[in-house]
Structure formats: structure tokens, C-alpha cells
Amino acid sequence: MAEPYKLPPKLDLSAATALAADLKDRLDGDLTLDASDVTQFGALGAQVVASAALSLSAAGHRLSLVQTSDRVLEQLSHLGFTPETLTEATV
């Protein structure tokens, strides 16, 4: 099993492009995202993660989001997500 991918502290507009490129390189198997360092989880970060979940699901793989702080859980909640719903591949 591959090591979890450690997400950057801020998942906002400035991080979205680099995050998308990094995740694109990891779509060849199940992927676990470690959110232990995340302090800001914005809408664009959520969009990138959701897109990766859809791509992985289409290839028969899964995406998991682990080590989410209470702060990140609250931010995701404001966006209408939980770690589970964000990583479920639903259209």
C-alpha cells in the first residue's frame, strides 16, 4: 500500500493547480489523502479532491481523506461535505 499523500496546509486558489497536478500523477491505484497539516480547506481544494475521487472511481480505485482536524471538518461542513461525501464518486 502506498504512503498517504500529505495535503498542503492551505487548499485554496493558490494551491489548486499544483494539487490537481500532484493528484493526477497518483491516479493509478487507491489513494489516501492525509489532511493532518491542513488549516484551510476551500471550495477549489474540495473541487480538486472531488474530481480526483471521480477519476479514481472510474478506474476502479478509491480515495480516502484521513486525519481531518475539527477545523477542517467544520470548513467541509460549510461547503456541504464530510470527508466521506467529498471522496465518494457521485455525479
Side-chain angles (χ1 to χ4, degrees):
M1 180 178 191
E3 287 291 315
Y5 174 78
K6 198 140 181 105
L7 292 169
K10 289 188 176 186
L11 297 174
D12 57 7
L13 175 61
S14 64
T17 301
L19 177 62
D22 282 352
L23 294 183
K24 185 177 180 183
D25 291 339
R26 292 169 170 79
L27 298 178
D28 57 351
D30 291 350
L31 179 60
T32 299
L33 303 178
D34 179 346
S36 59
D37 290 343
V38 177
T39 58
Q40 182 180 345
F41 210 123
L44 288 176
Q47 183 177 355
V48 170
V49 171
S51 177
L54 285 170
S55 295
L56 285 164
S57 178
H61 304 295
R62 294 191 49 189
L63 179 67
S64 301
L65 182 63
V66 299
Q67 302 296 325
T68 51
S69 68
D70 288 343
R71 181 176 180 168
V72 167
L73 291 173
E74 181 179 356
Q75 291 169 2
L76 288 174
S77 174
H78 290 300
L79 296 172
F81 294 108
T82 66
E84 295 78 22
T85 60
L86 181 62
T87 58
E88 288 174 356
T90 57
V91 179

